[in-house]
Amino acid sequence: MRGAVTNSNQTLERLAQVIESRRRGDPDKSYVARLMAKGTDAILKKIGEEATETVMACKDGDTAKIVHEVADLWFHSMLALAAFGLSPADVLKELERREGESGLEEFAARKAKQRDKEDRQ
């Protein structure tokens, strides 16, 4: 399993490098450059579209379509990361930080932190 994780990390890093190499390219020749030139609102709109398509594929139960739509969602999410100067490594680091942490406990801690912040204001 560890080999698959490393290979997956390498795939994400290679894709991030391709995005970086194309982001300032010719918008007439590169989808990445075109979307980046339109700005973050266009990227975020595309993420919303892909998220909706992912949900619809999951509701249909079509596994091939689910994989296709999640790949589109990940790709466009990676464009957003690049637009904000972030990388897949930043997301992987956060996921690693959360490893072994209960989702319910993490949610409760975030809620408590938010209440504390509101109380100080």
Side-chain angles (χ1 to χ4, degrees):
M1 179 68 179
R2 184 70 187 148
V5 171
T6 301
N7 195 23
S8 298
N9 294 353
Q10 292 168 350
T11 300
L12 291 174
E13 280 306 315
R14 283 193 309 274
L15 181 54
Q17 290 170 2
V18 169
I19 290 169
E20 191 58 38
S21 72
R22 294 181 183 171
R23 68 183 290 184
R24 290 180 182 81
D26 183 347
D28 292 329
K29 295 181 180 175
S30 168
Y31 174 75
V32 170
R34 182 178 307 145
L35 207 50
M36 289 289 193
K38 290 181 180 181
T40 54
D41 282 350
I43 296 167
L44 299 176
K45 180 180 176 187
K46 195 64 183 164
I47 290 171
E49 290 171 10
E50 298 302 344
T52 299
E53 291 171 4
T54 299
V55 169
M56 291 171 18
C58 290
K59 299 246 337 144
D60 292 344
D62 182 338
T63 56
K65 194 171 181 183
I66 292 167
V67 169
H68 178 86
E69 295 302 341
V70 170
D72 285 350
L73 179 59
W74 284 15
F75 174 79
H76 289 90
S77 295
M78 289 181 67
L79 290 179
L81 288 172
F84 288 96
L86 299 167
S87 73
D90 296 308
V91 177
L92 293 172
K93 183 177 176 182
E94 174 63 12
L95 289 172
E96 288 168 3
R97 184 192 68 77
R98 294 180 187 186
E99 197 171 356
E101 185 175 280
S102 163
L104 295 175
E105 290 172 6
E106 190 271 337
F107 179 74
R110 267 191 293 138
K111 291 293 257 184
K113 187 175 180 180
Q114 182 63 33
R115 279 193 302 273
D116 289 345
K117 182 179 175 184
E118 290 170 359
D119 290 345
R120 285 180 285 197
Q121 292 176 350

